[in-house]
Amino acid sequence: RLDAAAPRQRARLESLSTPLAATPLPPDLRRGQAIFNSQKAACSACHAMGYLGGNLGPDLTRIGQVRSERDLLESIVFPSASFVRSYEPMVVVTRAGEEHSGVLRRDADDEVILATGPATELRLARAHIAEQRPGRVSVMPSGLDEQLTPQELADLIAFLKASR
């Protein structure tokens, strides 16, 4: 199903690239850092940058060394397109039929611990689990491209790209 969405995703990325390249102001690292740490984008709630930030998502301290601007844009706009190893979503279904998803923190003989939010974890006793499978939807919310202005998105990408 993800492959079926690929042409639509590429078209969306292309449609975003033009406004980002034509922002009224040149992309600015300081404004990008402010967006990263703002409540509007809430990136720092889940991602570490240096010694600050959360640990639900990957550490972005050196993300600019390994990702292009295009990769960063895709990760922000389509967070479920690919997953960083150790941050893949997991779905756990209990014997009672409840379905929980999150990032697997612990997979032990007696329990499974899922990180379900920036500061929330769910402990499930192994005896209560009926099924455990990889998830397809990232815990990172989609739609940031609709919440941020093109200028804010360009500034955020410039900040991330400069993180080396």
Side-chain angles (χ1 to χ4, degrees):
R1 288 195 316 201
L2 288 177
D3 289 338
R8 194 172 56 244
Q9 289 177 350
R10 271 194 301 276
R12 177 69 179 139
L13 291 175
E14 288 302 321
S15 75
L16 284 170
S17 295
T18 302
L20 292 182
T23 55
L25 301 171
D28 182 80
L29 305 178
R30 287 191 178 104
R31 287 192 312 259
Q33 183 178 23
I35 292 296
F36 183 87
N37 292 312
S38 73
Q39 288 185 344
K40 185 175 186 180
C43 305
S44 63
C46 297
H47 295 280
M49 186 65 76
Y51 59 88
L52 299 174
N55 67 356
L56 181 61
D59 185 326
L60 300 180
T61 303
R62 293 182 177 18
I63 194 69
Q65 288 179 340
V66 295
R67 297 285 183 248
S68 69
E69 287 90 351
R70 173 80 175 207
D71 292 340
L72 294 168
L73 178 61
E74 181 181 45
S75 295
I76 292 167
V77 176
F78 300 112
S80 296
S82 64
F83 305 112
V84 173
R85 181 168 284 162
S86 300
Y87 294 93
E88 301 96 340
M90 182 65 64
V91 175
V92 176
V93 181
T94 66
R95 295 189 189 281
E98 298 170 330
E99 190 170 291
H100 304 280
S101 62
V103 176
L104 189 63
R105 290 290 188 229
R106 183 167 187 233
D107 191 1
D109 292 339
D110 60 334
E111 72 177 351
V112 167
I113 300 176
L114 289 178
T116 57
T120 57
E121 289 185 341
L122 178 65
R123 292 177 175 271
L124 297 163
R126 177 72 62 191
H128 297 144
I129 296 174
E131 179 186 359
Q132 189 174 329
R133 66 179 185 273
R136 294 186 180 139
V137 179
S138 175
V139 294
M140 180 172 159
S142 59
L144 277 176
D145 57 311
E146 295 170 9
Q147 288 181 285
L148 301 176
T149 67
Q151 183 70 60
E152 290 170 329
L153 196 52
D155 292 341
L156 176 60
I157 290 169
F159 169 67
L160 294 171
K161 186 61 185 159
S163 300
R164 298 175 174 269

